[in-house]
Amino acid sequence: QVRLVESGGGSAQAGGSLRLSCAAFGYSYGRNCIGWFRQHPGNQREGLAAIYTPDDSTIIADSVQGRFTISQDKAKSTVYLQMNNLESEDTAKYFCAADAVGSGYCPELSRVNEYNYWGHGTQVTVSS
């Protein structure tokens, strides 16, 4: 079964940058969609970005358009979330998630239930 491991979280100043990594294990990488989500305390998970790994097509949420980008390194079976111009509101726990192998597309970010496999998350804290 798909296993995802996030890393790269930590503390940053407002205006700074962080790059999160999502390493994928347990299957042949490059056959499904991987997305990034975040969750503030007391809130539902918010979809940020997703990449369809076979062809590099991406979707980005309006809320982070222009500041966040998603990319992958197929040789490392890793998806990245580059976060620039960080704001205090970006403080949250960040998760990566994958949909089923062979789906052929990335589910809309609002369709959280269609992302089947989840990492344990990494905390990001932004101070002003």
Side-chain angles (χ1 to χ4, degrees):
Q1 189 166 322
V2 175
R3 176 185 168 219
L4 305 175
V5 180
E6 302 98 334
S7 62
S11 298
Q13 291 289 128
S17 298
L18 287 172
R19 188 178 74 164
L20 307 183
S21 298
C22 175
F25 305 90
Y27 71 109
S28 296
Y29 182 87
R31 300 167 62 194
N32 65 347
C33 179
I34 295 179
W36 283 98
F37 301 77
R38 68 185 178 189
Q39 187 169 22
H40 302 277
N43 292 344
Q44 296 182 342
R45 291 185 181 183
E46 173 192 11
L48 304 174
I51 184 167
Y52 185 58
T53 59
D55 67 6
D56 281 332
S57 62
T58 62
I59 51 176
I60 306 292
D62 290 343
S63 60
V64 297
Q65 179 70 43
R67 297 194 301 120
F68 292 8
T69 57
I70 189 168
S71 62
Q72 68 175 329
D73 185 335
K74 292 182 177 180
K76 297 181 178 180
S77 300
T78 298
V79 172
Y80 303 100
L81 183 69
Q82 179 68 44
M83 305 188 295
N84 296 327
N85 298 313
L86 287 166
E87 304 169 352
S88 60
E89 293 79 10
D90 294 320
T91 296
K93 194 168 186 178
Y94 286 71
F95 301 83
C96 63
D99 76 338
V101 171
S103 66
Y105 67 99
C106 277
E108 295 180 16
L109 293 169
S110 62
R111 297 182 180 272
V112 177
N113 290 342
E114 296 188 29
Y115 290 83
N116 306 112
Y117 310 103
W118 293 79
H120 290 108
T122 185
Q123 179 68 37
V124 170
T125 302
V126 181
S127 59
S128 59

